Amino acid sequence: MKVTVDPRFFNAAYRPYLQDTHRYQLFFGGAGSGKSVFLASRCVLDCLMGRNILVVRQVARTLRHSCMNEIIKAADRMQLSACFRVNRTDGAMTCRHNGAQILFAGLDDTEKLKSITPRRGVLTDIWLEEATECDYHSFKQLDKRLRGRSRFAKRFTFSFNPIDREHWLYREFFDIFPDGERSAESELVTILKTTYLDNRFLTDDDRHALEREKDPYYLSVYTHGEWGVREGAVFTNWRTAHLTGEEAGESRFGLDFGFAHDPAALVHLRYDRKKGRIYVLEEMKLKNLTNPVLAAHILQMARDAPVFCDSAEPKSIMELRALGVNAHPVRKGPGSIQSGLRFLQGKEIWVSAACPEMRRELAAYVWQKDKDGRTLPIPRGGNDHLIDAMRYALENDASARFIRTGSKRELGL
């Protein structure tokens, strides 16, 4: 069956993705950007081609009023309604010409999910709408449903608003996506970010409502399509970037000791004083390393450069020095953690896409709260090993900042 659809049905940002074959496809960004409308229209055309599609949301009862209605409207809009039989009770749309189906199921309906299968062939596509509602385990179970022989490449498509950098979607897929970019792709993954500005079908009233948003979180996530920051986050001044290792600034290396329970964490960064910018270039985070093995890792990354370490382990520092590492203890005293964090908070932190562990730590690092829910000036520890290593690497720079604040006369010199 040959179908011709006017390209004006689609916003320009989405047209290149009509026949994209990447295994994992992520469409994210702000509200009103047209993500769901595009994917609903693509489902109609894909089913006409013979693809079998499973459309999923967290709650089954929301599907008829969201995705299913959107797909039916898309077929109407493209004058293709006569090509489908719609069974709302069973949650299925069947193509009259080839028997391919669009099926609908909720993640809360586990029995239906286990048994769902198209009448002909195998599932070739899953579209997970509002993907941030889904947990990682459910995603992995769904991904296993895309199996079996087919002439079509299997695809798992996600659409969502980026509510929280700590979400598993960010950890799983966004190492290829620098902040500030519009799109990215790897061998298996393609990502597109859109906002209301990409949707020419949006009404003026809807557009103005998004632009008038006053709440900083909602403005960032739902208007500008940026990843949300956790409430009480220690660091809001960081971003992911493609770094070359040739960035301006002086190299710094920091090491946080660990062994069985906590990992040893080593970080390589550059500090650009003029721009007030820290570039995190390399990381290592491993458990159960003896000092000789740890020294080998450090030498591979730092060679003979100074490595600033936690002074709580003088014996380990001595052993590393005996093994050729240019190790130095940092000066620690009362308030050193808070002063070091204030120093880091005053800089721009650019994290290489090659450092996923540092990104995870920064996203999850929050202030503690007291029993009444009030924020305390104490960070919640536990997964802050690379952050500590970064703080050690810049300890001398942070200390020098305070020395430079006063004149010689004020300092009694």
Side-chain angles (χ1 to χ4, degrees):
M1 179 183 181
K2 183 176 181 180
V3 176
T4 302
V5 178
D6 192 325
R8 289 178 297 178
F9 278 115
F10 302 96
N11 285 302
Y14 298 105
R15 287 178 200 152
Y17 299 88
L18 275 167
Q19 299 183 59
D20 193 287
T21 58
H22 284 82
R23 170 76 180 202
Y24 302 106
Q25 303 186 19
L26 293 93
F27 296 88
F28 83 106
S33 63
K35 301 181 292 295
S36 299
V37 174
F38 164 69
L39 291 172
S41 302
R42 193 174 79 165
C43 280
V44 172
L45 298 178
D46 286 344
C47 191
L48 287 170
M49 291 173 57
R51 286 181 171 274
N52 287 311
I53 304 153
L54 174 61
V55 182
V56 185
R57 282 194 67 168
Q58 180 63 37
V59 181
R61 61 181 172 77
T62 64
L63 278 165
R64 291 191 186 94
H65 304 295
S66 56
C67 299
M68 194 172 198
N69 281 350
E70 201 66 72
I71 292 172
I72 291 171
K73 287 193 293 184
D76 287 341
R77 196 164 49 247
M78 294 185 286
Q79 299 181 353
L80 296 170
S81 298
C83 297
F84 294 90
R85 291 193 304 272
V86 179
N87 186 327
R88 286 185 174 272
T89 303
D90 293 339
M93 294 176 62
T94 305
C95 179
R96 298 178 186 273
H97 300 278
N98 56 28
Q101 292 185 297
I102 305 171
L103 306 172
F104 301 85
L107 291 172
D108 58 337
D109 192 351
T110 53
E111 292 307 312
K112 183 176 181 180
L113 268 178
K114 289 177 183 177
S115 60
I116 200 166
T117 185
R119 290 181 182 176
R120 297 182 183 178
V122 300
L123 283 176
T124 62
D125 289 78
I126 293 175
W127 170 22
L128 180 57
E129 168 73 322
E130 301 293 351
T132 51
E133 297 175 354
C134 173
D135 61 36
Y136 181 72
H137 174 73
S138 297
F139 154 62
K140 296 300 286 186
Q141 291 298 316
L142 284 171
D143 199 24
K144 295 180 186 302
R145 299 299 309 276
L146 290 175
R147 62 182 185 271
R149 292 184 179 180
S150 173
R151 62 191 176 94
F152 298 105
K154 306 293 194 334
R155 302 183 305 187
F156 199 129
T157 300
F158 308 81
S159 54
F160 58 95
N161 301 116
I163 59 171
D164 189 346
R165 279 188 194 254
E166 200 183 357
H167 198 278
W168 65 264
L169 280 164
Y170 186 83
R171 299 195 304 268
E172 186 80 4
F173 295 110
F174 277 77
D175 57 331
I176 67 168
F177 195 89
D179 292 332
E181 295 294 321
R182 298 240 326 150
S183 62
E185 67 177 54
S186 65
E187 183 180 355
L188 292 176
V189 180
T190 186
I191 303 176
L192 176 69
K193 174 189 172 183
T194 51
T195 69
Y196 74 100
L197 296 172
D198 295 295
N199 188 0
R200 63 187 178 87
F201 303 111
L202 205 63
T203 67
D204 287 341
D205 285 344
D206 291 337
R207 190 176 293 109
H208 293 153
L210 287 164
E211 291 171 343
R212 288 194 295 266
E213 178 58 62
K214 301 298 184 184
D215 185 283
Y217 174 83
Y218 284 91
L219 181 68
S220 175
V221 174
Y222 294 100
T223 301
H224 300 307
E226 303 293 345
W227 279 98
V229 177
R230 290 190 74 186
E231 181 184 0
V234 175
F235 294 108
T236 60
N237 56 327
W238 68 277
R239 56 178 293 175
T240 304
H242 279 314
L243 303 180
T244 65
E246 301 298 324
E247 284 72 25
E250 303 168 10
S251 280
R252 299 284 188 273
F253 295 88
L255 174 67
D256 185 42
F257 288 109
F259 186 68
H261 179 69
D262 294 323
L266 175 69
V267 67
H268 172 207
L269 55 86
R270 284 185 180 273
Y271 174 41
D272 187 336
R273 296 177 186 274
K274 291 183 179 180
K275 292 184 178 180
R277 189 174 293 168
I278 298 164
Y279 300 102
V280 180
L281 304 174
E282 297 178 275
E283 65 177 27
M284 183 212 74
K285 190 174 178 181
L286 296 170
K287 289 184 178 181
N288 300 313
L289 299 185
T290 62
N291 282 337
V293 177
L294 176 60
H297 282 285
I298 297 171
L299 291 170
Q300 186 176 12
M301 186 186 295
R303 295 180 175 83
D304 60 352
V307 179
F308 294 93
C309 316
D310 184 351
S311 59
E313 294 206 23
K315 180 180 178 181
S316 291
I317 293 173
M318 290 179 64
E319 289 183 5
L320 290 179
R321 291 181 68 86
L323 291 164
V325 176
N326 189 3
H328 299 268
V330 296
R331 297 185 298 274
K332 294 172 65 175
S336 62
I337 294 176
Q338 284 74 14
S339 63
L341 292 177
R342 284 196 297 272
F343 176 79
L344 294 176
Q345 288 173 320
K347 311 300 175 187
E348 293 179 25
I349 303 174
W350 289 33
V351 184
S352 170
C355 297
E357 289 296 326
M358 177 64 87
R359 296 194 340 264
R360 288 168 189 157
E361 288 193 14
L362 290 168
Y365 202 46
V366 295
W367 298 111
Q368 291 184 33
K369 292 187 176 182
D370 64 16
K371 60 182 178 63
D372 297 317
R374 291 186 293 264
T375 299
L376 301 171
I378 305 168
R380 184 183 300 161
N383 187 26
D384 51 1
H385 312 290
L386 286 165
I387 292 173
D388 283 346
M390 177 167 60
R391 190 162 50 81
Y392 300 152
L394 292 161
E395 178 67 27
N396 288 340
D397 302 277
S399 300
R401 175 187 62 159
F402 296 106
I403 293 173
R404 289 194 298 270
T405 57
S407 66
K408 289 185 177 181
R409 179 177 299 175
E410 290 169 332
L411 293 170
L413 300 175

